[in-house]
Structures are given as structure tokens and as C-alpha cells.
Amino acid sequence: MSGRVRHETKFYACYSQYWMLGTLDSDDEVLEPEDVSAERRIDVTRKGRAARVETHAQHGDVNLVFEFHEQEPAREPGEWQEVVEDSTRLANEVFLLNMDEGSDTIPVPGEPAELAWWRVRLHVRLDRDAVGVHPVGYDEVRETHVIQLWPAAKSKPEILVQATEKVGDVWEELGIVALESIGFHEPSESLVLHLGDSVPEFTSEGFQVSADGRGVRVLTSGWGEKELYGVGVSFTRAFPSEVSGWEKEAEVTLTGPGQVLRMVPNSDSEWAAELPLPEGESGPWHVVVYARGRNSEREEGEYHVTVWPEGR
């Protein structure tokens, strides 16, 4: 390696984390991460081959920048909410892994080698009012991690910039009450959203609001071979109307009992998810469904559901 080597990528964090694993060409399979204390932004297992990185995003893309150096570098310039260091063991590559088995690889520069200790310095930044990122609304906050690495003997974790902001603070600022993932069983045909426990009746095959006004069915066809996933977010106040990069699939008002919005892909109750609504509110509820990726080069299709009390 001669000088700095830099790689940029986006990686999907889920359940507020992703993993960085040190792998070898001789590994028969991907290393299974062990439990860590999860007390810090980055926690490394005792043997050093697996590092868990905590994210502000519960589910969503994180911008990752990897910088490999021959020796300890100056800290990356910029306004960082947090900067922390730890030690990890690497060889041929950094293997990125999330809890949904999504993965990516970042090559370690130089000749193939055995595992050796590297120092890792993690910079965390949350950028406000980012446009057209995933998922709409929740990612009004764009998360960036710059990860500097250089060969160094193992040493204790260190906090260089103390975090002053927690995930809950970000949610409160955006008016978010709850976030819930939507899982689609392929092939997908519809997404039903309704208040109350029982699924309302629909009398036609297409898009329809139920006669009692407490449910809506949105068609989710036309995706070809693309896999679908999604997320629902409930707000205490209106969500911004201008959304870059997303198409509005439906906008309706729902009324009815209950403090949850049930989201049911393909009318399959086994895949249903319940999105809590703001406490103390009885509706009516403003519901907007967005989608992106149907007519683009994106490999996957995404749905995003927003709901808030009407008049707020």
C-alpha cells in the first residue's frame, strides 16, 4: 500500500447495527459474529475478528467511507457527532454483514496476508434535511460513517468525540412515534392497511378504500423479478409533502377504532405488522403510501407508509 486507499459505499443497516468481519481466503464459511457488550458505538469481540457498529438508523442505508492508511492519520475534517476508536483484526477484506444476511466486501490493500491487528477510528455524522433518501421521512437524517484504519498493535477503546445525541432525540425532533418494517412474500400483489383487528371487506380487485372507511388496499404489482421491502412510520404531525425520488401510490383518510395501523402484504396475516399510532389521538388518520424502484435501475422495490392525525 502506498498512501491512502479510499472506498465509498452504501450499506443497509437493520436493527440499528451492522457488522465488520475480518475474513481469510481459507475460511470455509462466513464467520458467525459473537455477542458483544453493545455498550459503545463500535464493539469488538475478544478475538478481534468481528466488530459490531451501532447506527442511528433502525433500518436504512448508511453512507460508509473506508480509508486505509500506512500509519495513524490525522482525523477526518468535518463536524462529527461522535468519533471513537477500537482495535480489530483484518487480513484480505472487511466483510460487511447485516442482520438480514445482506453483505458486501471492502478489500484490504496490499498482498494477501494473515490476520493482523488494525486500529479503527469511526467518525459518525448525521446530516439534517437530506432529500430523497431511504426511507422518506425517517431519513430526513442521513447517516455517514467515515472509518479510518491503519496497522497498529491492539489497544483499548477510546472516545475522541463524545456523542451528545441519541436515537430517541432524533425521532422526537422529526415527530416520529414508531417505525415498523414491512416484509413482502414474493410475488406480491397488494398491501392492505387498516385500523382495528379485523380485515375490512373489499368489493373490487383494484385500489379501494373499504366502505367503512377504516382500510385501504394498494396494488403492489408491476415489479417483475424485483424483491420488495418496506417500512411504515407514524408521526405526531404532518409529513412533508415534497419527496424527492419517490412516487406517491395512494393518499387516503382512514377512520376507525384502535391505536395501531395494521399493514398486511398480500392479505397474508402471517406477514402482517402493527404500526403504533400516537397516543391520545383518535383520528381521522392521514395515510400516504410511497414507492420507488419500479421503473428504475434499482435492484429492489421499496414501499414507504406514513400516517399521522389529520389536522396536525
Side-chain angles (χ1 to χ4, degrees):
M1 178 173 61
S2 178
R4 183 185 69 166
V5 178
R6 183 181 176 96
H7 297 274
E8 297 187 27
T9 188
K10 287 186 177 181
F11 191 65
Y12 192 79
C14 52
Y15 306 102
S16 302
Q17 63 185 287
Y18 63 88
W19 287 81
M20 299 190 304
L21 310 177
T23 59
L24 291 165
D25 289 340
S26 59
D27 289 336
D28 294 329
E29 57 185 17
V30 176
L31 179 71
E32 185 71 23
E34 302 172 2
D35 290 336
V36 292
S37 64
E39 295 177 352
R40 293 175 291 272
R41 177 68 60 188
I42 180 169
D43 276 285
V44 182
T45 55
R46 181 175 57 83
K47 295 182 179 180
R49 288 189 67 180
R52 173 191 176 276
V53 182
E54 182 187 17
T55 62
H56 283 260
Q58 184 178 16
H59 297 276
D61 287 333
V62 177
N63 300 318
L64 299 184
V65 179
F66 283 85
E67 290 185 353
F68 293 90
H69 299 261
E70 295 177 327
Q71 56 189 6
E72 180 177 355
R75 293 221 304 258
E76 182 73 14
E79 296 183 4
W80 302 101
Q81 275 77 27
E82 190 170 5
V83 181
V84 296
E85 286 188 6
D86 209 331
S87 295
T88 188
R89 293 168 73 208
L90 301 175
N92 306 110
E93 64 184 14
V94 179
F95 189 87
L96 298 173
L97 180 69
N98 66 27
M99 299 299 286
D100 285 342
E101 303 302 323
S103 64
D104 198 358
T105 57
I106 304 296
V108 175
E111 295 296 325
E114 294 299 313
L115 287 165
W117 285 103
W118 290 66
R119 193 64 172 169
V120 52
R121 179 185 293 157
L122 171 68
H123 305 71
V124 179
R125 182 173 65 235
L126 302 177
D127 295 322
R128 295 284 187 257
D129 302 321
V131 177
V133 290
H134 171 79
V136 56
Y138 180 68
D139 271 359
E140 289 291 307
V141 178
R142 185 199 303 270
E143 184 165 358
T144 297
H145 290 183
V146 171
I147 303 164
Q148 294 178 321
L149 302 109
W150 64 95
K154 181 181 180 182
S155 56
K156 294 181 179 180
E158 185 176 357
I159 297 175
L160 303 180
V161 175
Q162 178 70 55
T164 58
E165 185 175 41
K166 297 182 179 179
V167 174
D169 298 332
V170 178
W171 282 35
E172 183 177 355
E173 179 182 328
L174 295 176
I176 294 174
V177 176
L179 179 147
E180 186 65 44
S181 296
I182 308 170
F184 290 89
H185 183 62
E186 300 296 337
S188 182
E189 298 176 352
S190 67
L191 174 63
V192 172
L193 310 169
H194 68 88
L195 303 165
D197 294 331
S198 60
V199 179
E201 293 184 2
F202 298 99
T203 57
S204 65
E205 296 299 321
F207 168 85
Q208 185 183 3
V209 177
S210 62
D212 58 10
R214 64 185 182 87
V216 61
R217 181 176 58 202
V218 180
L219 298 185
T220 58
S221 56
W223 292 95
E225 300 298 320
K226 290 185 178 182
E227 294 185 359
L228 299 184
Y229 63 97
V231 68
V233 182
S234 65
F235 295 85
T236 58
R237 58 180 183 266
F239 176 77
S241 59
E242 295 299 323
V243 182
S244 175
W246 295 79
E247 296 180 4
K248 186 181 293 185
E249 299 277 287
E251 185 169 10
V252 299
T253 296
L254 299 182
T255 59
Q259 282 301 121
V260 297
L261 178 71
R262 296 193 79 236
M263 305 181 293
V264 191
N266 271 4
S267 299
D268 186 347
S269 60
E270 291 187 6
W271 289 76
E274 295 188 347
L275 179 64
L277 300 174
E279 293 183 2
E281 299 285 350
S282 57
W285 302 98
H286 197 97
V287 179
V288 186
V289 180
Y290 298 91
R292 73 174 179 180
R294 182 183 278 111
N295 300 312
S296 72
E297 296 180 356
R298 297 180 65 88
E299 295 181 357
E300 298 173 316
E302 300 175 69
Y303 278 91
H304 184 71
V305 176
T306 62
V307 56
W308 64 86
E310 236 174 42
R312 285 298 189 97

